[in-house]
Amino acid sequence: MPNSGLRSTMLFVAGLMGLFGVASAAAASPGDPRLLGGASAMCLAHAPALVALHAGCAHFRTAALAALLLAAGTALFAGDLTMRHFSGHGLFPMSAPLGGLTMMAGWLAVAIGAFLPRKRDEDA
């Protein structure tokens, strides 16, 4: 099982993603919602996934890796869209696609975890 600091960080990041998802949805509503709406959707979709990975961390072999990839990818993707909304330019060239690929790698880590022995099965 990952150390409690990593698990606490996972839950903390999930909370921040949820907060940012709701805040960006509210900020998107008066103007052009495309960029902030996309950032909001990514955060609100991945925050519950991080909570679930936190809850299953002791039994799910790839939970920590999946959480790291999902959190980093979501931050890059949503951060780029948010920066584009407020400043007219992204974080850095190709940051949104890199974030998207990183999120996909996180979901692949979840899928691969289905075929690996659970942690408690291996310890027995």
Side-chain angles (χ1 to χ4, degrees):
M1 168 171 24
N3 66 36
S4 62
L6 177 60
R7 291 189 71 229
S8 296
T9 301
M10 206 182 291
L11 197 55
F12 176 73
V13 170
L16 289 180
M17 277 189 194
L19 172 71
F20 181 77
V22 172
S24 58
S29 58
D32 182 0
R34 289 178 295 169
L35 293 173
L36 282 182
S40 173
M42 287 299 112
C43 288
L44 291 174
H46 290 93
L50 290 180
V51 172
L53 289 167
H54 172 270
C57 206
H59 306 288
F60 181 37
R61 178 159 308 282
T62 59
L65 175 62
L68 176 66
L69 291 168
L70 288 173
T74 303
L76 273 174
F77 191 87
D80 185 75
L81 294 181
T82 301
M83 186 75 135
R84 285 182 192 283
H85 176 82
F86 288 112
S87 70
H89 61 82
L91 293 172
F92 55 86
M94 302 299 289
S95 55
L98 178 61
L101 286 172
T102 306
M103 285 185 283
M104 287 188 270
W107 286 111
L108 182 59
V110 170
I112 290 170
F115 297 103
L116 298 176
R118 293 182 304 174
K119 288 183 179 181
R120 70 173 178 204
D121 291 346
E122 187 178 87
D123 295 336

